[in-house]
Amino acid sequence: MKKTYVNTNNYKYPVIIGGNAFKSLQVELSKANLSKRILVIVDRKVLARYKKVIEKDLKNRADKFYILKLTAGEKLKSQTTVNSIYKVLLKENFGRDTLIIAIGGGTIGDTAGFVASTFMRGVQLVHIPTTLLAAVDSSIGGKTGVNFSNAKNIIGTFYQPSLVLIDTNFFKSLSEDDMVSGVGEIIKYGIISDESFYKYIHSNFSSIFKLKSSVIDKIVYDSVKLKVAVVSEDEFDNKGLRKILNFGHTFAHAFESYYKFKFNHGRTVTAGIVAALCLSNRKEIISNAKLRKLLQLPLKLKTKKLIGDFNSSKIIEMMKLDKKNKWGELNFVLLKNIGEMYVDVRVNKRDIKYALEETKKILL
Ligand SMILES: NC(=O)c1ccc[n+]([C@@H]2O[C@H](COP(=O)([O-])OP(=O)(O)OC[C@H]3O[C@@H](n4cnc5c(N)ncnc54)[C@H](O)[C@@H]3O)[C@@H](O)[C@H]2O)c1
């Protein structure tokens, strides 16, 4: 098992990674001196599969214990769900000494995190991500949020958990679609980190899908380390550094909204990476040869249908809702080299449209 720490100006908390990491939960909760009045917010599918493990490892420790199972998915991330969780918390007499443990993918974590940050002005939170995507991305860094009026994550908070525990054994029951989703974010880490990680992902690509434990543990750990480093430096996304994590995401969020969340996050992120690379090429930041080289990794997923046909003008309209926009203009993270990005690049509509049309040619 490996351990790393998110260490911001305000918070320090461990991220524990490995097969069977869940077994150390009791010990880690005690080490962190967390409350014994526990509300578990868990993905219904995960509870059905791992009920015994989850109950055994948590119930004995608790003074108060309540399990709330929810159906994961983008629809969950709503004010309606948030209100229903507040109701449970009040009805069950949970107070300020509550510990919320979120067990599930990113939609469970984002929603539970938002509730933890707002209920009684904030209660303790632990993330136990069970999807690859949540493990390498959403569980780390403290961004919580729900969707509103067809805009992704438009209502939210920054709220750090006290502990993140990633048991890579959970991934064994993921569907291929959910593996593809996590791999989309991993491709992003490969592109924004350095040549050696990029090459490792490239040459071990099929082992990720086979969940070869040495490969999956290394890739998850290295991805987490990268996110941890960025978040520790730029907790509130205001120094520019954290923005590099958004590579491909302005496109991805627009694709998600356009398709009404029919394609999962990682698929749209992969398509978004292709579009961001095409835009970097259009802006003459990368040459045609470099574009071809950099497209190799995302295009390893081309056989999985990443997204469908789209209307570029409508995608641009969707982008106007993106939180990263400033002064009413569209902003992008563009790439110069692996690990070398430009952030806050303002781009005109013509160039965006060009990148979207190229993306269609490449992906469809
Ligand atoms: N907060 C952040 O910083 C951040 C970063 C990236 C993404 N996100 C958000 O994360 C969300 C996507 O996360 P996700 O893909 O994990 O979504 P999800 O929670 O919907 O999970 C995807 C699917 O996997 C299933 N599942 C979960 N764990 C499983 C397991 N162990 N075995 C079998 N099935 C399992 C779920 O039931 C669901 O059907 C999006 O809403 C995105 O906006 C947030």
Side-chain angles (χ1 to χ4, degrees), residues 73-347:
E74 216 50 51
K75 280 196 189 133
L76 178 83
K77 289 177 56 169
S78 69
Q79 204 65 53
T80 311
T81 311
V82 168
N83 289 347
S84 71
I85 303 174
Y86 292 148
K87 274 188 190 154
V88 170
L89 281 160
L90 288 174
K91 187 164 163 269
E92 292 297 320
N93 292 319
F94 278 102
R96 290 208 68 192
D97 57 350
T98 303
L99 165 62
I100 293 183
I101 302 184
I103 308 179
T107 58
I108 294 282
D110 280 8
T111 312
F114 183 72
V115 170
S117 71
T118 46
F119 183 68
M120 299 203 175
R121 298 200 177 90
V123 297
Q124 292 171 347
L125 172 69
V126 166
H127 280 305
I128 303 183
T130 61
T131 63
L132 183 57
L133 183 129
V136 297
D137 197 357
S138 62
S139 62
I140 293 150
K143 281 190 182 176
T144 83
V146 293
N147 306 324
F148 184 71
S149 190
N150 209 22
K152 273 277 289 186
N153 301 331
I154 205 81
I155 312 287
T157 56
F158 284 98
Y159 195 70
Q160 301 296 340
S162 302
L163 166 72
V164 179
L165 196 140
I166 300 171
D167 187 332
T168 51
N169 280 342
F170 276 119
F171 308 153
K172 287 181 184 161
S173 50
L174 287 178
S175 65
E176 201 208 0
D177 198 44
D178 289 312
M179 281 302 295
V180 171
S181 185
V183 169
E185 288 289 351
I186 286 169
I187 290 172
K188 178 196 79 181
Y189 287 120
I191 290 176
I192 68 170
S193 63
D194 56 48
E195 284 276 353
S196 77
F197 190 40
Y198 180 89
K199 281 184 185 152
Y200 185 84
I201 297 169
H202 211 295
S203 44
N204 290 282
F205 206 72
S206 59
S207 300
I208 304 176
F209 283 91
K210 289 178 195 144
L211 288 175
K212 190 175 171 192
S213 59
S214 56
V215 172
I216 204 81
D217 284 7
K218 178 184 164 49
I219 284 183
V220 170
Y221 181 69
D222 285 2
S223 300
V224 165
K225 282 277 280 183
L226 183 68
K227 179 136 192 197
V228 158
V230 170
V231 165
S232 297
E233 269 302 301
D234 186 12
E235 183 183 358
F236 297 112
D237 215 346
N238 53 14
K239 291 187 193 163
L241 183 61
R242 194 162 176 166
K243 290 178 183 160
I244 65 170
L245 298 172
N246 287 326
F247 182 65
H249 279 60
T250 304
F251 288 103
H253 288 162
F255 289 141
E256 279 182 303
S257 299
Y258 180 84
Y259 293 112
K260 301 203 162 41
F261 306 107
K262 177 177 145 206
F263 295 99
N264 68 35
H265 187 66
R267 275 177 203 268
T268 60
V269 166
T270 311
I273 288 170
V274 171
L277 289 172
C278 290
L279 190 56
S280 305
N281 174 248
R282 169 74 170 182
K283 299 294 288 175
E284 297 181 343
I285 299 172
I286 54 173
S287 65
N288 290 343
K290 194 174 263 180
L291 173 67
R292 276 196 299 279
K293 183 181 168 234
L294 287 166
L295 282 172
Q296 283 174 11
L297 188 54
L299 291 188
K300 278 182 179 276
L301 287 177
K302 193 182 173 182
T303 49
K304 332 275 176 197
K305 194 171 185 233
L306 292 172
I307 48 167
D309 197 2
F310 54 81
N311 176 315
S312 297
S313 303
K314 286 198 176 140
I315 294 286
I316 294 171
E317 282 307 303
M318 297 281 182
M319 282 178 176
K320 290 185 181 156
L321 293 171
D322 197 283
K323 296 187 297 302
K324 294 179 286 302
N325 296 335
K326 268 187 187 168
W327 311 293
E329 296 202 29
L330 294 173
N331 274 275
F332 292 85
V333 181
L334 299 183
L335 189 93
K336 189 173 176 214
N337 272 313
I338 290 175
E340 215 180 318
M341 260 83 45
Y342 293 118
V343 299
D344 281 339
V345 184
R346 291 190 223 171
V347 182

